[in-house]
Amino acid sequence: MTNCLIIKKKIINFNKKIKVSGDKSLSIRWVLLASQADGISKAYNLLMSEDVLAAMDAIKKLGIKVNISKNYCEIFGNGINGFKFKKNLTINAKNSGTLARLLLGLLIKSPQKIKLTGDKSLSKRDFSRVALPLQQFGAKFYYKIKNKLPLSILGSQSTKGIKYLENKGSAQCKSSVMLAALNSSGTTSIKAKKSRNHSELLFKYLKIPIKIKKTKEYDFIDIKKPKKIKAFNYQIPGDISSSAFFMVLTTLSKNSRLLIKNVNINPSRTGVIIILKKMGAKIFLKNQRNYRGEKIADILIKSSNNLKAINCPSKLNSSAIDEFLVIFLVAAKAKGISYFKDISELNQKESPRLNWGSKILNMMGVKTKLTKDSIKIYGEPNLEITKPIIIKNYLKDHRVFMMSTIAALTCGGQWKIHDKDSINSSFPSFLKIVKKINNKSL
Ligand code: S3P
């Protein structure tokens, strides 16, 4: 089977109802927190992607039993710091920055050195951003190449709560420190720039002692070590980041309509909806409800033929951090020049995504002005690609693959997109859903 996707035709009008798979951030957090609970926790609609399977493999290596059935997954938690730390243990986080960084937070008491590895993309990413605060707790880090994987972590038996300033708006850094706080005496106080707050909501739901004070830009979070965490069942809602590709597919297609059922619309994740609506997209939230502190809704999207450029406010960056690539596609088809600023973090993802976004738009014939932390996109409302486009060597960044697929289906041209298997890290059913929307043809 070839690992390339060829697309030569635009998608035809559609009117469909779909479900996307479970939220990746919540799936990984559930696996890690269930491993620290006392007893059997069950998750339904857990994302079965490589990132989440790597999380399950990681806790299995640390002595936790995992049972995957057809409709649910069970984790037999062994309590806080209940991992079995064997000698010479190597854990492979594969492509997942979230798994690697959050797991390190749970390893700060390991009496043995544990080696953490990852794939080519993860091995290029910066680990000092979590190593620095975790060292403050008392953990030690050993590298071959400074701040990069593979690394080894050696814990300490006398971990104490720390004061930590999280200034990047990174939920991975914040959550890594929050998980380390579960294993430390005293109080851990975090001042964190706004970022997704799934860890905080789960801590509250699990009755872990947590206090949160919110200001406009920062959250002040105090955490104390709980006596124990009770096993818990969880129904994982659909992933808004996966949904975003279909929001854009519908927005850019003619006379089409799509209903995406049961999506997590936590306000710390809905930047994409706010930005697209400001640009003229027709997106409606239906049937809104709450689930354990998270907000859930069905999302209805209709085609839009009147898209306008945006000067995107930086305050929306963190809540749209994984969606910029598809947002750039909408900017490419909007009237006017769009401007996105203070987004250097995009180049710290699975690939240098800001650079890739610009490169792909240029290949499509759309002009951009790129700096280290911003991009201007010169929209072409009548854009029709007629030439061949080849996308390859992008470090298998799943979101680059999916953005390219949506571009091909909405802007024309003859596309050859390499490394189809990249979608397995976050959204293995992506192409099946595209086929369903496109009446089985692709
Ligand atoms: C995530 C946080 C974000 C995001 C990633 C998932 C999480 O990363 O890009 O896909 O689940 O905490 P940063 O914390 O590095 O911004």
Side-chain angles (χ1 to χ4, degrees), residues 17-267:
K17 183 159 90 178
I18 60 164
K19 248 179 78 184
V20 295
S21 40
D23 184 273
K24 178 151 73 83
S25 294
L26 277 171
S27 294
I28 294 175
R29 283 162 174 76
W30 177 80
V31 170
L32 296 180
L33 279 168
S35 78
Q36 303 299 297
D38 280 311
I40 307 174
S41 298
K42 250 188 193 181
Y44 299 87
N45 199 40
L46 190 74
L47 171 65
M48 284 294 160
S49 77
E50 276 176 3
D51 283 14
V52 183
L53 292 169
M56 293 195 254
D57 281 345
I59 60 165
K60 274 198 226 165
K61 282 206 163 174
L62 290 157
I64 305 292
K65 189 175 156 195
V66 176
N67 179 13
I68 303 174
S69 324
K70 194 165 167 253
N71 295 321
Y72 58 84
C73 168
E74 281 172 321
I75 288 180
F76 297 68
N78 200 23
I80 296 168
N81 200 34
F83 285 153
K84 292 200 173 71
F85 296 105
K86 286 192 209 131
K87 274 194 179 153
N88 299 322
L89 210 58
T90 298
I91 291 174
N92 187 350
K94 298 203 168 156
N95 189 243
S96 178
T98 306
L99 167 61
R101 293 185 175 131
L102 269 58
L103 181 68
L104 287 171
L106 288 179
L107 298 179
I108 57 160
K109 272 206 140 95
S110 172
Q112 316 284 351
K113 268 193 194 172
I114 296 179
K115 189 169 170 189
L116 184 65
T117 62
D119 69 3
K120 191 168 161 192
S121 150
L122 192 60
S123 305
K124 287 184 189 289
R125 297 176 72 181
D126 168 37
F127 275 78
S128 68
R129 52 175 64 194
V130 287
L132 289 174
L134 297 180
Q135 273 161 1
Q136 250 185 288
F137 280 100
K140 289 199 173 85
F141 285 81
Y142 305 86
Y143 303 97
K144 252 196 191 152
I145 301 171
K146 200 157 182 231
N147 302 329
K148 300 275 148 96
L149 296 189
L151 61 73
S152 295
I153 178 171
L154 177 64
S156 147
Q157 295 320 301
S158 53
T159 48
K160 283 200 193 83
I162 65 164
K163 280 200 162 56
Y164 169 56
L165 171 65
E166 196 298 297
N167 219 357
K168 292 182 165 51
S170 162
Q172 291 178 357
C173 296
K174 173 177 70 180
S175 303
S176 179
V177 169
M178 289 176 71
L179 291 174
L182 296 179
N183 258 321
S184 307
S185 61
T187 304
T188 293
S189 299
I190 306 171
K191 176 181 174 185
K193 206 162 158 190
K194 298 273 180 200
S195 62
R196 64 189 68 189
N197 67 344
H198 306 300
S199 302
E200 292 91 312
L201 294 176
L202 281 167
F203 273 38
K204 267 195 197 159
Y205 173 70
L206 293 171
K207 301 209 160 63
I208 294 166
I210 178 167
K211 276 192 197 143
I212 305 171
K213 223 176 72 197
K214 294 186 177 182
T215 63
K216 224 169 151 202
E217 261 189 81
Y218 287 91
D219 289 343
F220 294 81
I221 306 168
D222 279 351
I223 297 168
K224 284 201 176 101
K225 183 176 165 48
K227 285 202 183 76
K228 61 180 200 165
I229 299 174
K230 266 201 201 154
F232 66 113
N233 297 347
Y234 205 95
Q235 175 89 37
I236 314 274
D239 196 323
I240 191 167
S241 300
S242 300
S243 307
F245 295 99
F246 297 110
M247 290 183 210
V248 171
L249 178 69
T250 314
T251 297
L252 297 182
S253 297
K254 292 220 163 71
N255 304 320
S256 297
R257 186 181 181 275
L258 186 71
L259 183 68
I260 313 177
K261 297 285 288 175
N262 213 32
V263 182
N264 184 346
I265 53 149
N266 177 322

